Amino acid sequence: SESKLDLNIDCSDVFKHVHAVSKTNPFWNELSASNPFIHDIAASNRNENNKYLSVLKEKPYLFSRVSSNRDSLASSGDELDIDCLLRKTSARRSGRSKSVSDFLDIIDKQRLNAHKTAPQKPVVSDTAWLQNDREAYKMAWLSHRQLTRSCLDLEAMSHSLGWAQTQATDIHVVCKLNHEGGSVQLPDSDINVHIPMGHVLPGEYQEVGLKAILNPPLSLNNELSSTVSPLIELTLSNLNTREAIFLEVKVAAEVRNDPLSQVMTDIVCFYSLNKEGPFKKLQNCYFYQDTIQVKLTDLSRVMYTVIAVQANKIQPPATNIWDYVHRTVSVGIYGPKYIHPSFTAVFTVFGHNYIPRKLTICDIKKGGKNMPPVVFQLWGKHTFLLEKPQDLNISLISCDPDFEVKMENESKSIKEEELKTGEMVRQQFLFSMLGSGEMHFFVFLVQIKDLKSSQVMQFCVTTPDPAPKLSGIVSRPKRLQKRKEIKSAPLLLIPTVKYPKFQDKRLNINTYGVALKTVLRQSKIDYLLEYFKGDTIALLGEDKVKAIGQTKIKEWYVGVLRRKVGLVHCKNVKVISKEQAMDIADSELPTRNLVEQIALPFKKLTYIYSVVLSTVSENVYDWRALADVLGHSHVSWDDFNEAYVDKESERVAHVVKRLKEDCHANKKKRLFLYELVVALLKIDCQGLVARLTQDTVILTSAVKLGRYWRELAEKLARLTKQQIEAYEVPHQEKNGEVALEMMWKPAYDFLYTWAAHYGDSYRDVLQDLQSALDKMKNPVTKHWRELAGALILVNCMDVLRASAFSAKEEEE
């Protein structure tokens, strides 16, 4: 996990009020129990009666941004501040990540102070015997979670990569099935194993392991044969079986339609008990379109299978097996997790259609020297038809003038013989930044051409963001610490974005609705309007919201009546134009009141303070605009000098922290997230508000659902029982069950992954989530209406922008 933590600190004062909080805060959990190097950080300073606090999480995207002066997790209802956990590193390790040895040294020291240390739980499961063997303890952990390299803070690391987080690098999955059977799918692939019912006896279990080996056997790639899938390793724990199992693979080839190809060529499955072979051909194969299903009857603890196209013989004018089939080739572009001023992108060609999300690169060179293995992330991929194996020229061209591909790396080639072997082929391209401007993501073009310079294929790739800065945690250079003594003038950075001035004026409404009936509710429902027959209701747009009413799901307009914003049932109003509206006095609303009302859900949504802080500080580009709208005009440059703040994002973070402190001091009247969102709407940061809305809704939904997330997963993504269990496995306790108070974690993991497939379509995410929750047996949305409030918010953004930010006012 990403960390620069001072482990030798005393937080006893911080945890005085923890006992009460632990009962209500869903984030209250053992501190990173899966990582022994982080587990001991806070354990020594806690009372035995207290639970541990989950500050870090295995999923790196939960805390994808590391902010300066990062705070603890917090929710709108119960907030805990453990800022003292995140202090600067010691001068001895200034500007560098702590290594494994450093963490172990600290653990050793803590064991000497046994009277200060709370009882510890074993961290690596079933390895209590390793606790007294330091080297064995370290190796047992590293064998499970390989340390990989990732760029975090370039300034602190002197523009070089540094050791950072731990992550699994094997491409495999293991599932435990009972006699009812089920399916196991290799993540991000079209490779499945189907276990029929009755495969094992009732009461017995079968553990199925599935792994993809990217380089296929060389013996199966020649003139008469070519592999069209990765080498698949299948492992079984129980050989006391009664039924065969089925392997299903989508292949990267199709036999041509001409009679000769159809007669000469077959798509077959080869099987072996050893990775290197020898391989035998299996007969029980079934085809449908581009998918092959193989029945495996000769079962073993470890089996290897691979799909290949094979010809009986090559008859001229054909020269090899490629002339009888249509072969698709897959290309993946890999790079580091974050970009930096100089980085390597790896162009990779696969002889099959499985492109892993992570790839271990072992031959990276820097300064003429070989670097240790690095795990690269998938940036982009493309699949295209290649009629025959041939020499190809590969070019990567930057579309951004701030970045270039090094001259000697601009064009590289892949040989025909390399493609024939079926092995993974890689080419490295070195990118570098021009000048000393601000780092940012950019787009580059990938071109593949044959020797005649005719283009075979091209596609665009977008890089990830630059590395997040850890300036609040990493020790600063002494020259910055002495800046106040020298009294040098601060560098005035001109904001790159000019934020418009918010205008408090009446909403400009074009569509109205006349109520066709009276609706008054004995039990009031948040976000639903009440009205009398004949009332004229202002409609904030013609988009409809789907949400549950008193008993069933309906379609609603977002309307305004008697200075209240809410939903009105579409069937209860007749839509009319502005010219047809007679009396609109009751449906008028000023923009200031609209902002305050549509932000109301944020008074009850759960959030993670550190994530909100980093997200806002990286997406607001003028600290003064945010400070003014928050009423913090008194914040001056002197305040920043005191804090050694020298970047715009740090100044914005300083303003946000000021707001947090003010709200914390007056909890009854001020709520942090609500006031922050109101301020962001008043400087027209609608994209940022949409992101915060989606993140907090997903998190709150996970907390609200608890164990009922399984029902939602079945409705929303048709997850199987085995897939649901796979989400819960990382969070299981020793008894194999997920504690009820921890059930929000697999729920969050699922919802985050599901939402990621929508890209930037945040409205669709919120609406589909609302619809799915409404259709549950006992909908949580009957009592929890904040998701409906969030839908009102995103549907009011257009009318807010049109009314509160006019171009004429901006020019003045």
Side-chain angles (χ1 to χ4, degrees):
S1 54
E2 303 170 355
S3 58
K4 293 279 196 308
L5 302 177
D6 187 350
L7 308 187
N8 300 315
I9 55 178
D10 184 10
C11 294
S12 56
D13 292 338
V14 176
F15 294 96
K16 288 179 180 178
H17 64 293
V18 159
H19 186 66
V21 173
S22 66
K23 296 179 180 178
T24 55
N25 193 337
F27 305 102
W28 198 257
N29 183 28
E30 178 176 326
L31 172 62
S32 191
S34 62
N35 192 330
F37 305 124
I38 303 302
H39 174 77
D40 292 11
I41 290 174
S44 62
N45 294 298
R46 287 172 168 75
N47 298 325
E48 292 183 20
N49 295 329
N50 288 335
K51 297 278 185 182
Y52 295 99
L53 178 66
S54 177
V55 175
L56 301 174
K57 191 174 185 291
E58 283 265 343
K59 294 282 183 182
Y61 48 70
L62 181 57
F63 304 107
S64 57
R65 303 293 183 199
V66 181
S67 64
S68 58
N69 296 323
R70 185 172 57 179
D71 277 19
S72 66
L73 304 181
S75 73
S76 56
D78 37 46
E79 298 165 351
L80 179 64
D81 203 352
I82 56 167
D83 201 34
C84 65
L85 278 179
L86 301 168
R87 297 279 181 83
K88 297 177 180 178
T89 52
S90 62
R92 183 177 68 85
R93 299 292 292 175
S94 175
R96 301 181 64 185
S97 300
K98 288 189 183 295
S99 67
V100 177
S101 300
D102 290 331
F103 281 110
L104 290 168
D105 288 340
I106 292 164
I107 293 171
D108 288 345
K109 289 178 183 177
Q110 289 182 336
R111 286 174 180 151
L112 294 176
N113 300 325
H115 63 282
K116 294 182 181 179
T117 307
Q120 301 291 318
K121 295 181 181 178
V123 180
V124 183
S125 60
D126 300 324
T127 56
W129 58 276
L130 293 174
Q131 294 295 330
N132 296 322
D133 187 337
R134 185 173 181 272
E135 192 62 26
Y137 181 77
K138 180 177 71 173
M139 295 312 297
W141 174 250
L142 293 182
S143 66
H144 174 61
R145 305 290 284 175
Q146 293 185 27
L147 273 178
T148 57
R149 296 159 10 107
S150 173
C151 181
L152 291 180
D153 190 331
L154 302 174
E155 290 180 349
M157 296 178 187
S158 303
H159 297 274
S160 66
L161 292 165
W163 289 101
Q165 63 188 27
T166 61
Q167 52 186 272
T169 55
D170 284 338
I171 307 158
H172 69 277
V173 65
V174 178
C175 280
K176 187 176 182 179
L177 306 174
N178 59 17
H179 74 286
E180 293 181 357
S183 296
V184 180
Q185 181 180 24
L186 192 68
D188 306 310
S189 79
D190 295 305
I191 301 171
N192 299 270
V193 171
H194 303 292
I195 310 297
M197 181 179 290
H199 172 70
V200 293
L201 294 171
E204 292 191 8
Y205 294 92
Q206 178 72 279
E207 280 194 9
V208 181
L210 199 56
K211 181 177 180 180
I213 300 169
L214 299 178
N215 283 327
L218 291 176
S219 60
L220 296 179
N221 283 280
N222 49 55
E223 298 300 322
L224 292 172
S225 176
S226 180
T227 55
V228 289
S229 81
L231 180 62
I232 301 164
E233 180 186 274
L234 179 62
T235 58
L236 301 175
S237 64
N238 186 354
L239 294 183
N240 183 26
T241 60
R242 294 187 169 189
E243 295 285 341
I245 63 177
F246 294 87
L247 173 69
E248 188 176 273
V249 183
K250 190 173 181 179
V251 297
E254 181 184 7
V255 179
R256 295 176 189 253
N257 285 327
D258 61 274
L260 184 60
S261 298
Q262 292 286 326
V263 170
M264 291 290 188
T265 316
D266 286 313
I267 299 179
V268 295
C269 178
F270 287 97
Y271 170 92
S272 176
L273 299 180
N274 298 301
K275 188 187 296 186
E276 294 79 17
F279 289 86
K280 67 175 183 179
K281 191 187 302 183
L282 295 180
Q283 301 301 323
N284 297 322
C285 299
Y286 310 94
F287 292 93
Y288 48 97
Q289 298 177 350
D290 58 351
T291 301
I292 182 173
Q293 190 177 79
V294 183
K295 185 177 182 180
L296 300 176
T297 55
D298 186 11
L299 301 181
S300 179
R301 296 282 183 189
V302 183
M303 298 166 283
Y304 295 89
T305 59
V306 63
I307 313 300
V309 286
Q310 193 175 49
N312 301 321
K313 65 177 182 177
I314 303 298
Q315 183 172 318
T319 58
N320 58 54
I321 182 65
W322 285 59
D323 293 324
Y324 291 145
V325 296
H326 293 297
R327 277 290 307 266
T328 54
V329 173
S330 298
V331 172
I333 304 295
Y334 292 84
K337 184 175 181 181
Y338 303 109
I339 62 170
H340 42 94
S342 179
F343 64 85
T344 298
V346 180
F347 176 96
T348 310
V349 176
F350 300 94
H352 43 76
N353 53 16
Y354 176 52
I355 306 177
R357 287 188 176 275
K358 294 179 182 179
L359 191 65
T360 303
I361 309 295
C362 302
D363 54 356
I364 294 291
K365 291 187 176 181
K366 189 174 182 181
K369 296 181 179 180
N370 287 328
M371 302 295 289
V374 184
V375 173
F376 274 22
Q377 317 290 319
L378 179 64
W379 286 2
K381 60 183 178 180
H382 201 82
T383 301
F384 65 98
L385 184 69
L386 187 63
E387 290 295 336
K388 61 180 181 179
Q390 57 185 309
D391 293 349
L392 298 173
N393 286 326
I394 314 300
S395 300
L396 268 59
I397 304 165
S398 174
C399 301
D400 192 303
D402 294 338
F403 292 85
E404 69 170 3
V405 184
K406 288 294 182 68
M407 289 293 291
E408 63 273 17
N409 287 269
E410 278 188 347
S411 181
K412 297 194 175 185
S413 62
I414 292 177
K415 301 299 182 183
E416 176 183 336
E417 291 304 317
E418 292 178 306
L419 294 174
K420 283 184 178 180
T421 64
E423 287 194 311
M424 179 175 59
V425 185
R426 297 196 305 266
Q427 291 291 353
Q428 298 175 18
F429 293 82
L430 184 62
F431 282 81
S432 62
M433 185 177 178
L434 300 173
S436 56
E438 187 72 21
M439 284 287 297
H440 56 84
F441 72 88
F442 66 97
V443 177
F444 60 87
L445 183 68
V446 180
Q447 285 187 341
I448 302 176
K449 298 182 179 180
D450 60 23
L451 292 181
K452 299 176 183 177
S453 294
S454 58
Q455 188 165 296
V456 176
M457 185 268 296
Q458 73 173 20
F459 63 99
C460 290
V461 175
T462 302
T463 71
D465 291 328
K469 303 300 181 181
L470 302 181
S471 48
I473 301 173
V474 179
S475 298
R476 293 184 169 280
K478 291 183 179 179
R479 61 180 178 82
L480 290 180
Q481 294 178 355
K482 294 180 179 178
R483 186 168 61 181
K484 190 182 177 186
E485 298 173 19
I486 302 171
K487 294 183 180 178
S488 59
L491 179 63
L492 297 176
L493 297 178
I494 300 173
T496 55
V497 176
K498 181 182 178 183
Y499 289 100
K501 186 178 179 181
F502 180 78
Q503 301 150 41
D504 185 16
K505 60 182 186 181
R506 193 173 67 184
L507 287 180
N508 183 18
I509 306 296
N510 295 318
T511 309
Y512 291 83
V514 177
L516 301 177
K517 60 186 289 189
T518 297
V519 175
L520 298 174
R521 297 179 178 85
Q522 188 173 357
S523 56
K524 308 300 179 185
I525 300 177
D526 290 341
Y527 307 110
L528 300 190
L529 286 179
E530 293 184 320
Y531 39 88
F532 295 98
K533 184 176 181 179
D535 278 341
T536 301
I537 304 170
L539 302 183
L540 304 183
E542 297 182 9
D543 291 336
K544 298 176 182 178
V545 173
K546 288 183 180 179
I548 197 168
Q550 196 86 39
T551 56
K552 62 181 180 179
I553 300 169
K554 303 174 182 177
E555 288 191 333
W556 312 78
Y557 291 121
V558 179
V560 176
L561 182 63
R562 286 181 276 278
R563 300 178 75 86
K564 183 179 179 181
V565 180
L567 298 176
V568 54
H569 187 199
C570 294
K571 291 185 178 180
N572 289 349
V573 294
K574 178 184 179 182
V575 179
I576 59 174
S577 65
K578 186 176 183 179
E579 293 73 22
Q580 294 173 299
M582 301 293 290
D583 183 9
I584 60 174
D586 284 345
S587 56
E588 291 180 351
L589 191 75
T591 53
R592 176 183 57 81
N593 196 276
L594 175 66
V595 168
E596 292 170 351
Q597 285 205 53
I598 62 178
L600 283 175
F602 289 93
K603 286 189 174 183
K604 296 181 180 179
L605 288 175
T606 302
Y607 65 94
I608 300 170
Y609 173 66
S610 58
V611 176
V612 171
L613 178 65
S614 59
T615 302
V616 174
S617 61
E618 290 166 13
N619 291 279
V620 174
Y621 306 103
D622 185 357
W623 71 270
R624 176 65 73 185
L626 182 61
D628 287 346
V629 78
L630 282 171
H632 291 176
S633 302
H634 59 279
V635 177
S636 67
W637 284 101
D638 292 335
D639 297 319
F640 294 135
N641 288 338
E642 287 286 345
Y644 303 112
V645 178
D646 58 348
K647 292 183 181 175
E648 193 68 24
S649 61
E650 293 171 346
R651 287 191 281 271
V652 173
H654 185 75
V655 172
V656 175
K657 294 194 77 170
R658 280 286 187 92
L659 173 65
K660 178 71 180 335
E661 291 166 4
D662 292 347
C663 293
H664 192 74
N666 190 6
K667 285 185 178 180
K668 292 184 179 179
K669 292 185 178 180
R670 304 187 66 183
L671 290 172
F672 164 72
L673 191 58
Y674 170 76
E675 296 206 9
L676 178 61
V677 169
V678 168
L680 293 174
L681 288 171
K682 286 185 177 180
I683 57 174
D684 200 28
C685 290
Q686 293 196 356
L688 177 55
V689 170
R691 179 175 168 182
L692 291 173
T693 303
Q694 179 173 313
D695 289 350
T696 51
V697 162
I698 286 176
L699 184 60
T700 313
S701 300
V703 174
K704 292 285 182 183
L705 280 167
R707 60 191 173 92
Y708 296 106
W709 82 272
R710 299 163 182 163
E711 180 190 344
L712 179 72
E714 291 176 1
K715 291 183 179 296
L716 208 55
R718 296 181 180 178
L719 290 193
T720 63
K721 185 179 179 181
Q722 289 74 28
Q723 289 170 323
I724 290 173
E725 287 177 355
Y727 275 101
E728 294 185 354
V729 166
H731 310 290
Q732 288 176 353
E733 296 181 342
K734 284 187 175 180
N735 60 4
E737 299 292 331
V738 181
L740 193 59
E741 63 273 15
M742 291 299 107
M743 196 62 82
W744 70 269
K745 290 187 175 184
Y748 179 86
D749 293 345
F750 161 70
L751 285 174
Y752 190 99
T753 306
W754 166 77
H757 289 89
Y758 283 78
D760 296 329
S761 304
Y762 60 90
R763 291 193 185 193
D764 293 336
V765 171
L766 298 176
Q767 181 61 80
D768 289 355
L769 179 58
Q770 172 80 59
S771 300
L773 290 172
D774 285 342
K775 291 175 183 177
M776 293 177 67
K777 292 178 182 176
N778 296 298
V780 297
T781 45
K782 270 199 170 184
H783 310 287
W784 175 61
R785 298 280 176 168
E786 271 54 58
L787 181 47
L791 285 167
I792 292 174
L793 165 66
V794 297
N795 278 279
C796 287
M797 285 183 171
D798 291 340
V799 69
L800 174 63
R801 175 171 282 168
S803 300
F805 305 101
S806 68
K808 185 177 179 181
E809 290 286 340
E810 286 180 38
E811 292 172 3
E812 294 175 1

